[in-house]
Amino acid sequence: MAIFLKDKILEILRVQQGFNEKKFNAALELQREKGGSLGKILVDTGVTTQKEFMIILSKELNAPLINLKRYKLDTMLMQVQPENVMREHRIVPLSRVGDTLTIAMADPLDVFVLDRLKAATGCRVEIVLATEEDVKIVLDNFYSDRAVDIKKTIDEIDESDMDVVEAVSEEKIDISKLIDKVKLPPIIKMVNTLLSEAVRRRASDIHIEPTEKALRIRYRIDGALHDILTLSKASQNAIIARIKILSKLDITQTHIPQDGSFKVKMDEREIDIRVSVLPTAFGGKVVMRLLDKSSLSVGLDRLGFLPESLALFKKAIARPYGMILVTGPTGSGKSTTLYSILNEMNTIERNIITLEDPVEYQLEGITQIQARADIGLTFANGLRSMMRQNPDVIMVGEIRDFETADIAIKASLTGQMVFSTLHTNDAASAITRLIDMGVEPFLIASSVIFVCAQRLCRKICPGCKESYEIPRAVFERLGVDYREIEKSGRTKFYRGKGCGKCNTTGFLGRMAILEALLVDDTIKDMIARKETSDRIKEYAVKKGMKTLRDDAYDKFFNGVTTLEEVLSITAED
């Protein structure tokens, strides 16, 4: 469609009065060589004027040409795409009615951004036309006003709303001239605002990213990054130095990576903040991970596990000894699951010791050790020392090598309950991963009692949840028997249309999906025979194990998440 429209426009231009063949061919050649917007190149090279080109587009597309400056922009709707995408593709969202999103475009031949908007919002996209100059002015005004709003928030913030409780890192502060600037109220207020806004928006991470001419601020909310603010380059060094001082890092070191942490207290909630600083071409990039202890008190029952998976988990935890493994990629909620288990097991009768890198949450009543390879405190060495402390429950942050795996497994065989994590795609692969590390199969069969693979899926926002139809053909392409769906009576499907509560994303919060593998006698025999992970998984599924995709489908059919989310976070079985 786009190619046909492009050719048609070119033919219209050819027959216009005053058409210049030489300029025309030069413009086409330039577009072939360097790419970019054909309309912009045609205008810039003098083949046509902006007004003439927009009139042609309006007529051919049957789309009105509007005066964009007369429209009032919806702040929430402007968050459907980051600022840099709006500027690059010269688009402005105007309205959203039902499942129809109307946007103003300066270049309607840019079909890629239309596809991106459809995928991001789930809406049908209708376009109106606006000149490139109008789009630029409107975006400049909007983001300028937004910066003023942020500044107003910074001016009004009460520093007593947030207290730095404690600096956890042991690094010494190196005083420099920069400290005078760091102590200025605007810088303190700016950093406080970034932290308080992140907590208010339920962000898990704050990304502070230097670019050539500015400082970009992004929040990770429900697993996805969102553009929040662009600050002037002049404030970059002071903001980064302020964060380093809070984290007890050396502000004079700018060419090496640094890691630290500190705590803040907001609204009676204590939040651990883990800080990573990485040198880049334009300055230190800072990522702050926000760890809210209140999320650990929910217990296993409220993590979102299916009843059958939860029952298997609790059955494994009730054992007096053995090894339990939680697998999944970074950010899949493994640590939250393990901490929730430890919280439930944290009684006066038990001696619980953890060895982590880093210690993400500090739990009262539990002995937590920070692994530090630079001084010889590796997972393996730490485990050896822990065994002399007479533990009942051990948690090892991650099994990374044979030595750690071997000691952990032998600990589970001598009366301890051992929890740990691995980076594998599914539960059965954890078994073969241990064998690949060099652990004897008979030791694995004797020690591992339960393995689960975990992911996090976004939940539909209850504030804007709406039902919609999904064609039967979609399920057929996915290999899902629609007759079974009809038998179950779960033929009503839901999505979030976007509202102020969820920042127009349609999602609010996340929950875990689980693939739970309880090691029975048959699986022990399969492990001892070195059967493949596929064979183990095949047997487990026949015995009733729900795969990650099965668990995600169940949450979709129950109206908790969307089909798109299911397909994006799980692989086909």
Side-chain angles (χ1 to χ4, degrees), residues 163-177:
D163 299 319
V164 177
V165 177
E166 175 187 351
V168 180
S169 172
E170 297 177 359
E171 302 283 344
K172 291 184 178 180
I173 304 173
D174 197 34
I175 304 299
S176 74
K177 294 179 181 178

Side-chain angles (χ1 to χ4, degrees), residues 345-385:
M345 300 181 77
N346 187 13
T347 61
I348 195 168
E349 297 89 4
R350 288 192 179 101
N351 177 21
I352 302 175
I353 306 178
T354 74
L355 180 59
E356 307 166 63
D357 184 20
V359 174
E360 294 195 15
Y361 295 93
Q362 293 183 338
L363 304 177
E364 189 174 347
I366 293 177
T367 303
Q368 295 174 271
I369 303 168
Q370 168 76 54
R372 290 187 59 181
D374 58 326
I375 60 171
L377 185 54
T378 61
F379 279 122
N381 291 337
L383 263 174
R384 287 193 189 93
S385 299

Side-chain angles (χ1 to χ4, degrees), residues 517-530:
L517 175 67
L518 190 68
V519 179
D520 60 15
D521 290 339
T522 302
I523 293 177
K524 287 181 180 180
D525 290 339
M526 296 177 78
I527 294 170
R529 296 195 307 269
K530 293 187 178 181

Side-chain angles (χ1 to χ4, degrees), residues 45 76 104 145 172 202 209 255 261 267 298 305 327 373 382 417 436 478 491 548:
T45 54
M76 299 310 299
D145 291 344
K172 291 184 178 180
R202 304 174 299 102
E209 303 167 328
H255 301 295
S261 55
D267 301 326
V298 296
F305 300 153
T327 78
M417 177 64 78
D436 291 341
L478 294 172
T491 55
L548 287 168

Side-chain angles (χ1 to χ4, degrees), residues 189-202:
K189 287 183 178 180
M190 173 60 74
V191 174
N192 285 2
T193 300
L194 293 178
L195 293 170
S196 60
E197 274 293 293
V199 173
R200 188 182 68 80
R201 299 193 190 197
R202 304 174 299 102

Side-chain angles (χ1 to χ4, degrees), residues 189-243:
K189 287 183 178 180
M190 173 60 74
V191 174
N192 285 2
T193 300
L194 293 178
L195 293 170
S196 60
E197 274 293 293
V199 173
R200 188 182 68 80
R201 299 193 190 197
R202 304 174 299 102
S204 61
D205 301 86
I206 303 172
H207 288 237
I208 301 175
E209 303 167 328
T211 63
E212 186 177 5
K213 297 179 180 178
L215 190 65
R216 183 188 189 192
I217 311 295
R218 293 195 290 174
Y219 290 166
R220 187 178 294 279
I221 303 170
D222 294 334
L225 281 170
H226 299 267
D227 267 331
I228 300 299
L229 181 64
T230 300
L231 299 174
S232 70
K233 192 76 173 174
S235 62
Q236 174 179 309
N237 290 340
I239 288 172
I240 294 172
R242 170 66 180 166
I243 293 167

